[in-house]
Amino acid sequence: MRRIVRGHNQYMLKRYPFTTTTHHHHQLKTQPNKTQFTMANRANVSGAKSSTLSTLSTEDQFYTDIASKNVEPLWTVLNKMVPPKPNPSSVVTAWPYEDLRPVLMQSGIVVSAEEAERRVLMLVNPARQAPYTTDTIYAGLQLILPGETAPAHRHVAFALRFIVEGSRGFTAVEGQKLMMERGDVILTPSWHWHDHGSEGDGPMVWLDGLDLPVYRFLPVNFAENYEEARYPSELSDNSNWKLPWAPVQAVLDENKETETYARYDYKSGEHGKHLSKTISGQAERINAGATTKKVRETVSFVYHVYEGEGYSTIVSPEGKEEKLQWKGKDTFAVPAWSIISHTCTQECGSAYLFAVNDRPMVESLGLYKRQELK
């Protein structure tokens, strides 16, 4: 039985009669079989070689002929289509805040919020290109300076925002003006008018999380600009689209003295489910000196360190282990099916992490799996 493999648009036989082969970096190398042939059976080998060359010619012609018909043979790429384990394209990546903040502030000099429409530094996974922070999540750091307005628009994509720095900034969503403080999560549901501004004395910075990568294979995302810079709005003190940090931390700390780790899953106040049908959020507490259990899920994450210091030990689906150091306001991405454990290196107190995840879409599609490892 011969198996056909494909590399650089060329199809090659993996095994020739009477030879052994190895396939490495898309090059086919053949080594003579060590079997010593007698003069009598060399004639048979010669005949077999002629047959093989004929077969090769036929196969090459077959693949050449079908190329113009917009079809390709599945059997040459079956392992890629149905791999033995999840195989995300994105990689573990960190964005230390102390490195990005100066650049972000400089962007406030280079371009205004009105000119940029959204003054954002996209967090681009080095194994992909924008809009991929993970394979399913887009993230970026957005800046608004005092007195600025990021003009009103609406779009199909869902967005959530975790406030990193500043106070007295606001996001107005469908007429509700929501004041933003550090640690708040602000939601912008699909096709809702929204604009951003600041009434404070310093910069406002937040982490944007959107489901933009989804629209690379469902190309139905688009936007519409409002006719004015601001959509008419009134101050709202109680909205389902604003989720303050204080109640979240209170839940995380309920059993702080007896449990070294806790996780909180954000839920929509409107229906008690995930924040959207595509992406959502979670928060975690790790006590000083504690290390969480090793867990992997078919879920990807964009983590942001609300508070504390420590490191995360992450093993990719391919088995590569990385130790990623972090501290307050840092952001890092973790691909799906990675083994994750967090360690808080503080001598006292706790570290708190927020994460954007793609759990809603993974669960809705029936693709969710979780493993706890020793």
Side-chain angles (χ1 to χ4, degrees):
M1 179 68 67
R2 286 181 305 232
R3 183 183 173 194
I4 309 300
V5 295
R6 183 180 184 182
H8 297 300
N9 296 323
Q10 295 178 344
Y11 293 86
M12 302 170 292
L13 285 171
K14 183 155 188 175
R15 183 174 292 114
Y16 291 98
F18 311 110
T19 64
T20 59
T21 65
T22 58
H23 182 251
H24 182 64
H25 295 301
H26 303 287
Q27 295 179 348
L28 193 67
K29 301 179 180 179
T30 65
Q31 299 175 346
N33 193 297
K34 293 182 179 180
T35 304
Q36 299 297 316
F37 295 107
T38 65
M39 291 295 293
N41 61 26
R42 281 180 182 173
N44 294 334
V45 173
S46 177
K49 284 184 177 179
S50 298
S51 175
T52 300
L53 290 173
S54 175
T55 302
L56 273 172
S57 177
T58 301
E59 290 168 350
D60 289 343
Q61 188 62 48
F62 171 77
Y63 294 123
T64 300
D65 291 345
I66 67 172
S68 63
K69 303 182 187 304
N70 296 322
V71 297
E72 293 186 12
L74 173 62
W75 60 88
T76 64
V77 292
L78 190 57
N79 284 345
K80 290 183 179 180
M81 298 295 184
V82 190
K85 61 180 181 298
N87 58 342
S89 297
S90 60
V91 296
V92 176
T93 310
W95 293 271
Y97 193 62
E98 65 181 7
D99 292 345
L100 289 189
R101 191 182 189 279
V103 183
L104 191 58
M105 294 304 138
Q106 188 177 5
S107 74
I109 301 172
V110 172
V111 63
S112 71
E114 290 81 4
E115 290 172 324
E117 187 171 350
R118 293 298 183 265
R119 188 169 49 213
V120 180
L121 291 183
M122 300 185 292
L123 305 183
V124 182
N125 196 285
R128 305 295 303 265
Q129 58 183 1
Y132 297 98
T133 307
T134 73
D135 292 294
T136 50
I137 302 170
Y138 158 91
L141 290 173
Q142 184 164 174
L143 170 68
I144 289 285
L145 295 174
E148 288 187 327
T149 297
H153 68 191
R154 61 182 178 180
H155 42 69
V156 173
F158 169 85
L160 63 83
R161 315 174 198 284
F162 186 84
I163 311 306
V164 175
E165 176 184 339
S167 61
R168 301 296 300 162
F170 66 85
T171 291
V173 184
E174 284 288 329
Q176 296 184 29
K177 183 179 178 181
L178 311 174
M179 303 307 295
M180 303 187 297
E181 304 293 335
R182 181 168 172 258
D184 289 349
V185 172
I186 306 295
L187 308 182
T188 305
S190 175
W191 210 241
H192 282 45
W193 291 111
H194 59 283
D195 53 78
H196 311 291
S198 176
E199 298 171 354
D201 338 352
M204 285 293 306
V205 179
W206 61 83
L207 177 72
D208 283 326
L210 286 84
D211 52 8
L212 290 177
V214 172
Y215 299 102
R216 285 302 180 96
F217 56 87
L218 290 175
V220 294
N221 182 40
F222 60 98
E224 179 182 358
N225 293 323
Y226 190 62
E227 57 191 15
E228 304 290 340
R230 294 285 316 280
Y231 186 83
S233 63
E234 296 183 0
L235 185 64
S236 175
D237 294 325
N238 185 17
S239 172
N240 288 327
W241 300 327
K242 176 179 177 178
L243 307 170
W245 174 258
V248 174
Q249 183 170 337
V251 174
L252 289 173
D253 290 346
E254 282 180 353
N255 301 308
K256 187 176 181 178
E257 301 304 319
T258 57
E259 298 179 5
T260 60
Y261 171 79
R263 190 183 96 186
Y264 174 89
D265 292 312
Y266 284 80
K267 301 293 183 183
S268 168
E270 294 178 304
H271 46 68
K273 298 180 181 179
H274 291 303
L275 298 181
S276 80
K277 294 180 179 180
T278 51
I279 61 174
S280 195
Q282 66 187 61
E284 300 174 52
R285 167 185 55 81
I286 309 104
N287 284 359
T291 296
T292 66
K293 294 179 179 179
K294 297 177 181 179
V295 174
R296 66 179 173 188
E297 305 172 86
T298 48
V299 173
S300 68
F301 305 92
V302 177
Y303 275 100
H304 180 79
V305 184
Y306 174 75
E307 184 177 279
E309 294 185 10
Y311 63 87
S312 296
T313 304
I314 303 167
V315 183
S316 71
E318 291 74 32
K320 180 182 178 182
E321 180 173 318
E322 299 183 54
K323 183 178 178 180
L324 195 152
Q325 301 279 350
W326 43 256
K327 58 184 178 180
K329 298 184 175 66
D330 289 349
T331 303
F332 59 98
V334 182
W337 207 237
S338 298
I339 301 171
I340 309 172
S341 69
H342 306 299
T343 299
C344 176
T345 56
Q346 299 165 203
E347 294 183 358
C348 59
S350 300
Y352 295 90
L353 307 178
F354 169 80
V356 184
N357 62 52
D358 53 13
R359 195 181 304 278
M361 71 175 95
V362 173
E363 290 182 351
S364 295
L365 293 170
L367 305 176
Y368 180 74
K369 296 185 184 303
R370 180 182 186 274
Q371 288 184 354
E372 191 172 299
L373 300 97
K374 295 183 179 180

